[in-house]
Amino acid sequence: CGTPVPSSGGLIAGYAHQKPPRVLVASRNFANDATFEIKKCDLHRLEEGPPVTTVLTREDGLRYYRMMQTVRRMELKADQLYKQKIIRGFCHLCDGQEACCVGLEAGINPTDHLITAYRAHGFTFTRGLSVREILAELTGRRGGCAKGKGGSMHMYAKNFYGGNGIVGAQVPLGAGIALACKYNGKDEVCLTLYGDGAANQGQIFEAYNMAALWKLPCIFICENNRYGMGTSVERAAASTDYYKRGDFIPGLRVDGMDILCVREATRFAAAHCRSGKGPILMELQTYRYHGHSMSDPGVSYRTREEIQEVRSKSDPIMLLKDRMVNSNLASVEELKEIDVEVRKEIEDAAQFATADPEPPLEELGYHIYSSDPPFEVRGANQWIKFKSIS
């Protein structure tokens, strides 16, 4: 069935902050695992690709389901808080794309690295931060993961380098992280994500070139959700085969709505990089249900019918749920109980994110450097000074 695969240890990091799920009394005997056929990836400069069948254990399935449902509910809560003007500024939601962040994490190790653009809430969660820290960051509170100073686009965790607000700018940084992996001689890879809207940027091709020359362990990942802001890929790109854009770099086109496809493709790509063959490119074909950002209603350049069709036929959570129920890996009632627990977790996190105090003004200059003696930072004029503490 293709390359030997690691366990889904990458998800342990993203799960460590949560209480272990309550063991449900099984009303019937469930299967321990099931084998599924998955869609064959389109290949570029590769003789063989990821396997077309995969085994899903009951334990992994329940974990993936809970994580995807948590990301979905968290994004819907962020939408609600934004409309209540509790969250301000830029806010880009990833509901619809949950199979990408959870599937990628399932295919790597916690010691591997990941950097992405500004649609980052899901990755922040799967890389190990709690919903409470993420929502509190969105509301600009002290309990946020960046102490309320980063907001939606600038969240960080162990081996997670953000959220980056400049379109495409994270891609050369990702190549740099991969260079550090190689330089330090560690068997680690860097997942470098960008959207279809960034895919025509010159700096991305410069990063491809350097990564290929130096054989960097970098997985370049284009999350193709079909629209760069309000422009469809067909109107923005002369070639929409994003997985072939690396030219001299091998590529895969993956069903980004199927968590098992994403997981297997990621394992394959990570094994490629770890073997010393250099970078590889992945295109995840996915879809966002919300507009580009909260200021975009998302229906002026696509129809409501189009969005509804994707929801009804390709929803990543629904696909996993159907597979698990039909293969006796879980019952509908058990998954509904997970839904109830997830909703409660999100509500509790939202309560914290609205009640927690904002950071005081004197902390404005804090954390500019990680380990420097305190120094003064000039404020809006020369008479205003802020102390900076590492």
mmCIF file of all heavy atoms in Angstrom, residues 66-101:
data_model
loop_
_atom_site.group_PDB
_atom_site.id
_atom_site.type_symbol
_atom_site.label_atom_id
_atom_site.label_comp_id
_atom_site.label_asym_id
_atom_site.label_seq_id
_atom_site.Cartn_x
_atom_site.Cartn_y
_atom_site.Cartn_z
ATOM 1 N N ARG A 66 -13.660 14.832 15.818
ATOM 2 C CA ARG A 66 -13.754 15.846 16.873
ATOM 3 C C ARG A 66 -12.974 17.101 16.494
ATOM 4 O O ARG A 66 -13.436 18.219 16.699
ATOM 5 C CB ARG A 66 -13.230 15.267 18.193
ATOM 6 C CG ARG A 66 -13.329 16.232 19.368
ATOM 7 C CD ARG A 66 -12.757 15.612 20.631
ATOM 8 N NE ARG A 66 -13.610 14.572 21.151
ATOM 9 C CZ ARG A 66 -14.558 14.766 22.090
ATOM 10 N NH1 ARG A 66 -14.747 15.973 22.572
ATOM 11 N NH2 ARG A 66 -15.281 13.754 22.517
ATOM 12 N N MET A 67 -11.787 16.918 15.933
ATOM 13 C CA MET A 67 -10.956 18.082 15.588
ATOM 14 C C MET A 67 -11.588 18.908 14.461
ATOM 15 O O MET A 67 -11.614 20.135 14.516
ATOM 16 C CB MET A 67 -9.551 17.629 15.213
ATOM 17 C CG MET A 67 -8.804 17.022 16.387
ATOM 18 S SD MET A 67 -7.071 16.718 16.027
ATOM 19 C CE MET A 67 -6.392 18.334 16.263
ATOM 20 N N MET A 68 -12.099 18.231 13.432
ATOM 21 C CA MET A 68 -12.735 18.970 12.328
ATOM 22 C C MET A 68 -13.986 19.699 12.823
ATOM 23 O O MET A 68 -14.234 20.849 12.453
ATOM 24 C CB MET A 68 -13.082 18.035 11.167
ATOM 25 C CG MET A 68 -11.861 17.589 10.387
ATOM 26 S SD MET A 68 -12.246 17.103 8.685
ATOM 27 C CE MET A 68 -13.139 15.599 8.948
ATOM 28 N N GLN A 69 -14.748 19.035 13.657
ATOM 29 C CA GLN A 69 -15.963 19.655 14.189
ATOM 30 C C GLN A 69 -15.604 20.852 15.082
ATOM 31 O O GLN A 69 -16.297 21.879 15.065
ATOM 32 C CB GLN A 69 -16.756 18.602 14.986
ATOM 33 C CG GLN A 69 -18.200 18.965 15.272
ATOM 34 C CD GLN A 69 -19.063 19.056 14.028
ATOM 35 O OE1 GLN A 69 -19.196 20.134 13.443
ATOM 36 N NE2 GLN A 69 -19.673 17.958 13.621
ATOM 37 N N THR A 70 -14.503 20.736 15.821
ATOM 38 C CA THR A 70 -14.062 21.851 16.675
ATOM 39 C C THR A 70 -13.663 23.052 15.828
ATOM 40 O O THR A 70 -14.038 24.191 16.126
ATOM 41 C CB THR A 70 -12.873 21.405 17.569
ATOM 42 O OG1 THR A 70 -13.275 20.286 18.361
ATOM 43 C CG2 THR A 70 -12.432 22.525 18.490
ATOM 44 N N VAL A 71 -12.904 22.799 14.764
ATOM 45 C CA VAL A 71 -12.506 23.906 13.873
ATOM 46 C C VAL A 71 -13.745 24.555 13.257
ATOM 47 O O VAL A 71 -13.869 25.791 13.226
ATOM 48 C CB VAL A 71 -11.529 23.418 12.782
ATOM 49 C CG1 VAL A 71 -11.253 24.523 11.762
ATOM 50 C CG2 VAL A 71 -10.220 22.939 13.408
ATOM 51 N N ARG A 72 -14.690 23.740 12.790
ATOM 52 C CA ARG A 72 -15.913 24.271 12.178
ATOM 53 C C ARG A 72 -16.678 25.162 13.162
ATOM 54 O O ARG A 72 -17.077 26.287 12.839
ATOM 55 C CB ARG A 72 -16.784 23.092 11.716
ATOM 56 C CG ARG A 72 -18.177 23.429 11.198
ATOM 57 C CD ARG A 72 -18.184 24.066 9.811
ATOM 58 N NE ARG A 72 -17.480 23.302 8.816
ATOM 59 C CZ ARG A 72 -18.035 22.352 8.035
ATOM 60 N NH1 ARG A 72 -19.315 22.047 8.177
ATOM 61 N NH2 ARG A 72 -17.315 21.733 7.123
ATOM 62 N N ARG A 73 -16.895 24.651 14.374
ATOM 63 C CA ARG A 73 -17.672 25.387 15.380
ATOM 64 C C ARG A 73 -16.941 26.638 15.844
ATOM 65 O O ARG A 73 -17.550 27.664 16.116
ATOM 66 C CB ARG A 73 -17.981 24.481 16.575
ATOM 67 C CG ARG A 73 -18.968 23.385 16.254
ATOM 68 C CD ARG A 73 -20.388 23.926 16.228
ATOM 69 N NE ARG A 73 -21.233 23.155 15.324
ATOM 70 C CZ ARG A 73 -22.349 23.593 14.789
ATOM 71 N NH1 ARG A 73 -22.741 24.842 15.008
ATOM 72 N NH2 ARG A 73 -23.073 22.849 13.994
ATOM 73 N N MET A 74 -15.623 26.536 15.936
ATOM 74 C CA MET A 74 -14.821 27.693 16.340
ATOM 75 C C MET A 74 -14.949 28.817 15.315
ATOM 76 O O MET A 74 -15.105 30.000 15.674
ATOM 77 C CB MET A 74 -13.357 27.265 16.486
ATOM 78 C CG MET A 74 -12.409 28.373 16.855
ATOM 79 S SD MET A 74 -10.728 27.756 17.161
ATOM 80 C CE MET A 74 -10.188 27.359 15.487
ATOM 81 N N GLU A 75 -14.910 28.458 14.030
ATOM 82 C CA GLU A 75 -15.035 29.472 12.982
ATOM 83 C C GLU A 75 -16.429 30.100 12.963
ATOM 84 O O GLU A 75 -16.578 31.305 12.749
ATOM 85 C CB GLU A 75 -14.688 28.865 11.616
ATOM 86 C CG GLU A 75 -13.235 28.413 11.482
ATOM 87 C CD GLU A 75 -12.224 29.545 11.542
ATOM 88 O OE1 GLU A 75 -12.150 30.224 12.593
ATOM 89 O OE2 GLU A 75 -11.507 29.761 10.555
ATOM 90 N N LEU A 76 -17.442 29.281 13.194
ATOM 91 C CA LEU A 76 -18.800 29.830 13.232
ATOM 92 C C LEU A 76 -18.974 30.754 14.438
ATOM 93 O O LEU A 76 -19.683 31.764 14.364
ATOM 94 C CB LEU A 76 -19.829 28.691 13.265
ATOM 95 C CG LEU A 76 -19.864 27.817 11.994
ATOM 96 C CD1 LEU A 76 -20.855 26.670 12.157
ATOM 97 C CD2 LEU A 76 -20.211 28.644 10.757
ATOM 98 N N LYS A 77 -18.325 30.425 15.550
ATOM 99 C CA LYS A 77 -18.372 31.300 16.725
ATOM 100 C C LYS A 77 -17.633 32.606 16.443
ATOM 101 O O LYS A 77 -18.080 33.687 16.839
ATOM 102 C CB LYS A 77 -17.768 30.579 17.936
ATOM 103 C CG LYS A 77 -17.726 31.393 19.220
ATOM 104 C CD LYS A 77 -19.087 31.950 19.634
ATOM 105 C CE LYS A 77 -20.039 30.881 20.126
ATOM 106 N NZ LYS A 77 -21.316 31.470 20.625
ATOM 107 N N ALA A 78 -16.502 32.527 15.728
ATOM 108 C CA ALA A 78 -15.760 33.743 15.360
ATOM 109 C C ALA A 78 -16.619 34.645 14.475
ATOM 110 O O ALA A 78 -16.633 35.871 14.639
ATOM 111 C CB ALA A 78 -14.460 33.368 14.646
ATOM 112 N N ASP A 79 -17.366 34.041 13.558
ATOM 113 C CA ASP A 79 -18.291 34.789 12.701
ATOM 114 C C ASP A 79 -19.307 35.548 13.562
ATOM 115 O O ASP A 79 -19.561 36.738 13.361
ATOM 116 C CB ASP A 79 -19.001 33.807 11.762
ATOM 117 C CG ASP A 79 -20.142 34.439 10.984
ATOM 118 O OD1 ASP A 79 -21.280 34.463 11.499
ATOM 119 O OD2 ASP A 79 -19.899 34.920 9.869
ATOM 120 N N GLN A 80 -19.853 34.852 14.535
ATOM 121 C CA GLN A 80 -20.868 35.457 15.414
ATOM 122 C C GLN A 80 -20.269 36.609 16.232
ATOM 123 O O GLN A 80 -20.854 37.688 16.317
ATOM 124 C CB GLN A 80 -21.406 34.365 16.348
ATOM 125 C CG GLN A 80 -22.543 34.816 17.249
ATOM 126 C CD GLN A 80 -22.948 33.704 18.224
ATOM 127 O OE1 GLN A 80 -22.624 32.534 18.035
ATOM 128 N NE2 GLN A 80 -23.632 34.071 19.276
ATOM 129 N N LEU A 81 -19.079 36.385 16.803
ATOM 130 C CA LEU A 81 -18.443 37.428 17.614
ATOM 131 C C LEU A 81 -18.038 38.627 16.766
ATOM 132 O O LEU A 81 -18.053 39.768 17.240
ATOM 133 C CB LEU A 81 -17.207 36.850 18.329
ATOM 134 C CG LEU A 81 -17.483 35.792 19.407
ATOM 135 C CD1 LEU A 81 -16.176 35.150 19.874
ATOM 136 C CD2 LEU A 81 -18.234 36.390 20.586
ATOM 137 N N TYR A 82 -17.698 38.372 15.512
ATOM 138 C CA TYR A 82 -17.337 39.476 14.613
ATOM 139 C C TYR A 82 -18.568 40.339 14.320
ATOM 140 O O TYR A 82 -18.505 41.566 14.337
ATOM 141 C CB TYR A 82 -16.752 38.928 13.306
ATOM 142 C CG TYR A 82 -15.985 39.968 12.515
ATOM 143 C CD1 TYR A 82 -14.604 40.071 12.629
ATOM 144 C CD2 TYR A 82 -16.636 40.861 11.659
ATOM 145 C CE1 TYR A 82 -13.889 41.021 11.921
ATOM 146 C CE2 TYR A 82 -15.933 41.816 10.947
ATOM 147 C CZ TYR A 82 -14.560 41.894 11.082
ATOM 148 O OH TYR A 82 -13.860 42.854 10.386
ATOM 149 N N LYS A 83 -19.676 39.668 14.056
ATOM 150 C CA LYS A 83 -20.911 40.407 13.753
ATOM 151 C C LYS A 83 -21.418 41.183 14.967
ATOM 152 O O LYS A 83 -22.126 42.173 14.820
ATOM 153 C CB LYS A 83 -21.972 39.447 13.221
ATOM 154 C CG LYS A 83 -21.669 39.004 11.784
ATOM 155 C CD LYS A 83 -22.533 37.862 11.311
ATOM 156 C CE LYS A 83 -22.199 37.508 9.854
ATOM 157 N NZ LYS A 83 -22.805 36.236 9.448
ATOM 158 N N GLN A 84 -21.032 40.725 16.162
ATOM 159 C CA GLN A 84 -21.381 41.450 17.388
ATOM 160 C C GLN A 84 -20.370 42.548 17.701
ATOM 161 O O GLN A 84 -20.470 43.231 18.717
ATOM 162 C CB GLN A 84 -21.446 40.473 18.574
ATOM 163 C CG GLN A 84 -22.598 39.485 18.484
ATOM 164 C CD GLN A 84 -22.486 38.375 19.524
ATOM 165 O OE1 GLN A 84 -21.472 38.230 20.207
ATOM 166 N NE2 GLN A 84 -23.539 37.578 19.649
ATOM 167 N N LYS A 85 -19.367 42.711 16.828
ATOM 168 C CA LYS A 85 -18.298 43.709 16.959
ATOM 169 C C LYS A 85 -17.415 43.465 18.185
ATOM 170 O O LYS A 85 -16.793 44.390 18.709
ATOM 171 C CB LYS A 85 -18.867 45.132 16.960
ATOM 172 C CG LYS A 85 -19.590 45.462 15.660
ATOM 173 C CD LYS A 85 -19.960 46.919 15.555
ATOM 174 C CE LYS A 85 -20.595 47.190 14.191
ATOM 175 N NZ LYS A 85 -21.090 48.554 14.051
ATOM 176 N N ILE A 86 -17.351 42.206 18.618
ATOM 177 C CA ILE A 86 -16.443 41.838 19.708
ATOM 178 C C ILE A 86 -15.071 41.502 19.121
ATOM 179 O O ILE A 86 -14.041 41.819 19.701
ATOM 180 C CB ILE A 86 -17.013 40.651 20.524
ATOM 181 C CG1 ILE A 86 -18.319 41.088 21.199
ATOM 182 C CG2 ILE A 86 -16.012 40.148 21.553
ATOM 183 C CD1 ILE A 86 -19.124 39.963 21.796
ATOM 184 N N ILE A 87 -15.067 40.880 17.934
ATOM 185 C CA ILE A 87 -13.833 40.708 17.149
ATOM 186 C C ILE A 87 -13.797 41.828 16.120
ATOM 187 O O ILE A 87 -14.806 42.110 15.470
ATOM 188 C CB ILE A 87 -13.803 39.337 16.439
ATOM 189 C CG1 ILE A 87 -13.734 38.192 17.465
ATOM 190 C CG2 ILE A 87 -12.619 39.239 15.482
ATOM 191 C CD1 ILE A 87 -13.885 36.805 16.854
ATOM 192 N N ARG A 88 -12.645 42.493 15.997
ATOM 193 C CA ARG A 88 -12.495 43.601 15.038
ATOM 194 C C ARG A 88 -11.372 43.303 14.046
ATOM 195 O O ARG A 88 -10.599 42.367 14.241
ATOM 196 C CB ARG A 88 -12.152 44.888 15.802
ATOM 197 C CG ARG A 88 -13.182 45.320 16.832
ATOM 198 C CD ARG A 88 -14.390 45.951 16.176
ATOM 199 N NE ARG A 88 -15.280 46.555 17.148
ATOM 200 C CZ ARG A 88 -15.890 47.721 16.974
ATOM 201 N NH1 ARG A 88 -15.701 48.408 15.874
ATOM 202 N NH2 ARG A 88 -16.709 48.180 17.877
ATOM 203 N N GLY A 89 -11.276 44.123 13.013
ATOM 204 C CA GLY A 89 -10.150 44.023 12.076
ATOM 205 C C GLY A 89 -10.310 42.892 11.077
ATOM 206 O O GLY A 89 -11.412 42.467 10.770
ATOM 207 N N PHE A 90 -9.187 42.414 10.586
ATOM 208 C CA PHE A 90 -9.209 41.348 9.575
ATOM 209 C C PHE A 90 -9.592 40.018 10.214
ATOM 210 O O PHE A 90 -9.187 39.716 11.319
ATOM 211 C CB PHE A 90 -7.836 41.206 8.910
ATOM 212 C CG PHE A 90 -7.442 42.400 8.091
ATOM 213 C CD1 PHE A 90 -6.523 43.316 8.571
ATOM 214 C CD2 PHE A 90 -8.005 42.600 6.842
ATOM 215 C CE1 PHE A 90 -6.157 44.418 7.815
ATOM 216 C CE2 PHE A 90 -7.649 43.696 6.076
ATOM 217 C CZ PHE A 90 -6.731 44.611 6.564
ATOM 218 N N CYS A 91 -10.364 39.227 9.501
ATOM 219 C CA CYS A 91 -10.751 37.913 10.017
ATOM 220 C C CYS A 91 -11.123 37.020 8.835
ATOM 221 O O CYS A 91 -12.119 37.253 8.163
ATOM 222 C CB CYS A 91 -11.935 38.055 10.983
ATOM 223 S SG CYS A 91 -12.357 36.534 11.838
ATOM 224 N N HIS A 92 -10.299 36.016 8.586
ATOM 225 C CA HIS A 92 -10.492 35.100 7.450
ATOM 226 C C HIS A 92 -10.817 33.713 7.995
ATOM 227 O O HIS A 92 -10.003 33.138 8.718
ATOM 228 C CB HIS A 92 -9.221 35.040 6.596
ATOM 229 C CG HIS A 92 -8.746 36.395 6.133
ATOM 230 N ND1 HIS A 92 -7.980 37.212 6.943
ATOM 231 C CD2 HIS A 92 -8.924 37.057 4.974
ATOM 232 C CE1 HIS A 92 -7.707 38.334 6.284
ATOM 233 N NE2 HIS A 92 -8.259 38.263 5.089
ATOM 234 N N LEU A 93 -11.971 33.189 7.668
ATOM 235 C CA LEU A 93 -12.439 31.928 8.249
ATOM 236 C C LEU A 93 -12.203 30.757 7.289
ATOM 237 O O LEU A 93 -12.221 30.919 6.073
ATOM 238 C CB LEU A 93 -13.918 32.033 8.607
ATOM 239 C CG LEU A 93 -14.275 33.190 9.556
ATOM 240 C CD1 LEU A 93 -15.767 33.208 9.853
ATOM 241 C CD2 LEU A 93 -13.475 33.122 10.851
ATOM 242 N N CYS A 94 -11.991 29.566 7.874
ATOM 243 C CA CYS A 94 -11.610 28.410 7.053
ATOM 244 C C CYS A 94 -12.661 27.300 7.070
ATOM 245 O O CYS A 94 -12.347 26.162 6.723
ATOM 246 C CB CYS A 94 -10.259 27.855 7.506
ATOM 247 S SG CYS A 94 -10.293 27.022 9.101
ATOM 248 N N ASP A 95 -13.912 27.601 7.478
ATOM 249 C CA ASP A 95 -14.914 26.533 7.487
ATOM 250 C C ASP A 95 -15.142 26.040 6.051
ATOM 251 O O ASP A 95 -15.263 26.818 5.121
ATOM 252 C CB ASP A 95 -16.225 26.987 8.143
ATOM 253 C CG ASP A 95 -16.739 28.319 7.623
ATOM 254 O OD1 ASP A 95 -15.932 29.250 7.488
ATOM 255 O OD2 ASP A 95 -17.946 28.425 7.330
ATOM 256 N N GLY A 96 -15.163 24.718 5.913
ATOM 257 C CA GLY A 96 -15.191 24.070 4.596
ATOM 258 C C GLY A 96 -13.847 23.443 4.269
ATOM 259 O O GLY A 96 -13.761 22.472 3.521
ATOM 260 N N GLN A 97 -12.774 23.996 4.867
ATOM 261 C CA GLN A 97 -11.417 23.539 4.563
ATOM 262 C C GLN A 97 -10.816 22.701 5.702
ATOM 263 O O GLN A 97 -9.595 22.526 5.773
ATOM 264 C CB GLN A 97 -10.514 24.751 4.263
ATOM 265 C CG GLN A 97 -10.992 25.563 3.078
ATOM 266 C CD GLN A 97 -10.060 26.709 2.685
ATOM 267 O OE1 GLN A 97 -10.448 27.596 1.936
ATOM 268 N NE2 GLN A 97 -8.840 26.718 3.177
ATOM 269 N N GLU A 98 -11.660 22.156 6.577
ATOM 270 C CA GLU A 98 -11.158 21.462 7.772
ATOM 271 C C GLU A 98 -10.320 20.230 7.450
ATOM 272 O O GLU A 98 -9.402 19.884 8.196
ATOM 273 C CB GLU A 98 -12.323 21.045 8.680
ATOM 274 C CG GLU A 98 -13.088 22.188 9.286
ATOM 275 C CD GLU A 98 -14.225 22.710 8.408
ATOM 276 O OE1 GLU A 98 -14.391 22.202 7.270
ATOM 277 O OE2 GLU A 98 -14.951 23.625 8.849
ATOM 278 N N ALA A 99 -10.624 19.552 6.334
ATOM 279 C CA ALA A 99 -9.851 18.351 5.988
ATOM 280 C C ALA A 99 -8.394 18.703 5.686
ATOM 281 O O ALA A 99 -7.510 17.856 5.816
ATOM 282 C CB ALA A 99 -10.476 17.633 4.791
ATOM 283 N N CYS A 100 -8.142 19.956 5.299
ATOM 284 C CA CYS A 100 -6.764 20.376 5.000
ATOM 285 C C CYS A 100 -5.939 20.442 6.280
ATOM 286 O O CYS A 100 -4.921 19.760 6.412
ATOM 287 C CB CYS A 100 -6.753 21.728 4.288
ATOM 288 S SG CYS A 100 -7.558 21.718 2.675
ATOM 289 N N CYS A 101 -6.378 21.248 7.248
ATOM 290 C CA CYS A 101 -5.548 21.433 8.446
ATOM 291 C C CYS A 101 -5.452 20.157 9.273
ATOM 292 O O CYS A 101 -4.371 19.802 9.752
ATOM 293 C CB CYS A 101 -6.044 22.609 9.290
ATOM 294 S SG CYS A 101 -7.753 22.528 9.833
#
